[in-house]
């Protein structure tokens, strides 16, 4: 039981490049979330999903897109990376029966 | 408006002493929950403790307890008998009942705790 995994762990992008961050969970959780963490800040919600095939915007969605084609996977895409997207990205999931969120290990992204 | 406020950017405590990390929250929702997460230098988010707004007793998990004062809208984390391994960032977070974010969490900015020998 791997829990929540994130791929990749680290990435450096040039401004304007695109990439996709993958979050996978093997706990059959309905809800999945993408957060970003910037220095001196708590986590802020980018997008979330309440089930397979559904996604919605969070607090800071601009510049990101998401997809949840399979229940276990939640993808975060950056179409044209900007230096302001340099951050640590966390994925989390939770079952419908509990409020506790299970976090992945994070992806450190640097955009130069 | 900030929903979660952690006013202590950094705290020091001596090993084996108890320490309280402050958290105040802002919500008009009668149904909500407060979480505390620990983030060590390795970066992962570790769940510590949860308190629901309707829970009658303060939550406890081992050396962690949550001092929940609903009227004051505070949910302070108490760590008893501090250990060197408790040195980390600690985040208070809240989920609300009426939400359009799938019960996502609102996080405070965190408190950095350093446990000294």
């Amino acid at each position: 039981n791997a829990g929540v995994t994130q791929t990749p762990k680290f990435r450096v992008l040039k401004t304007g490049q695109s990439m996709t961050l993958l979050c996978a969970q093997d706990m059959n959780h309905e809800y999945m979330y993408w957060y970003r963490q910037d220095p001196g800040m708590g986590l802020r919600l980018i997008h979330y999903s309440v089930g397979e095939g559904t996604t919605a915007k969070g607090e800071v969605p601009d510049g990101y897109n998401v997809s949840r084609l399979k229940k276990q996977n939640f993808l975060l895409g950056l179409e044209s990376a900007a230096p302001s997207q340099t951050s640590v990205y966390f994925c989390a999931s939770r079952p419908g029966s509990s409020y506790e969120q299970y976090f992945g290990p994070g992806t450190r992204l640097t955009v130069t | 408006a900030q929903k979660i406020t952690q006013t202590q950017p950094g705290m020091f405590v001596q090993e084996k002493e108890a320490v309280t990390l402050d958290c105040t929250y802002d919500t008009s929702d009668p149904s909500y929950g407060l979480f505390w997460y620990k983030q060590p230098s390795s970066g992962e988010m570790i769940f510590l403790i949860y308190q629901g707004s309707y829970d009658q007793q303060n939550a406890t998990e081992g050396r962690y307890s949550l001092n929940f004062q609903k009227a004051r809208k505070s949910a302070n984390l108490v760590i008893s008998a501090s250990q060197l391994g408790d040195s980390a960032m600690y985040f208070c977070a809240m989920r609300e009942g009426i939400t359009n974010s799938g019960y996502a969490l609102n996080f405070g900015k965190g408190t950095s705790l350093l446990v000294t020998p």
Side-chain angles (χ1 to χ4, degrees), chain B residues 16-45:
Chain B
K16 298 184 182 132
E17 298 292 312
V19 63
T20 298
L21 306 184
D22 294 341
C23 172
T24 57
Y25 59 91
D26 181 27
T27 182
S28 57
D29 192 339
S31 173
Y32 56 91
L34 284 308
F35 297 78
W36 278 92
Y37 281 86
K38 172 184 178 181
Q39 187 177 42
S41 57
S42 50
E44 71 269 31
M45 297 292 287

Side-chain angles (χ1 to χ4, degrees), chain A residues 31 33 35 37 40-43 45 48 50 90 94 99-101 103, chain B residues 35 37 39 43 47 50 91 95 100-105 107-109:
Chain A
Y31 293 78
Y33 308 86
Y35 295 90
Q37 183 180 26
M41 303 281 289
L43 279 65
L45 181 68
Y48 66 99
V50 302
F90 286 97
R94 71 171 182 90
Y99 294 115
E100 180 187 343
Q101 294 189 14
F103 282 83
Chain B
F35 297 78
Y37 281 86
Q39 187 177 42
F47 167 76
Y50 170 77
F91 291 97
R95 63 97 188 152
N100 59 358
S101 65
Y103 299 100
L105 300 180
F107 283 83
K109 294 186 178 181

Side-chain angles (χ1 to χ4, degrees), chain A residues 60-111:
Chain A
V60 288
D62 294 342
Y64 305 96
N65 55 73
V66 288
S67 65
R68 191 150 177 221
L69 299 178
K70 293 183 179 180
K71 187 177 185 179
Q72 64 267 35
N73 295 339
F74 195 27
L75 279 63
L76 178 72
L78 287 73
E79 290 188 346
S80 179
S84 61
Q85 294 177 304
T86 294
S87 190
V88 179
Y89 291 86
F90 286 97
C91 175
S93 71
R94 71 171 182 90
S97 57
S98 165
Y99 294 115
E100 180 187 343
Q101 294 189 14
Y102 296 76
F103 282 83
T107 294
R108 185 173 294 274
L109 175 66
T110 302
V111 183

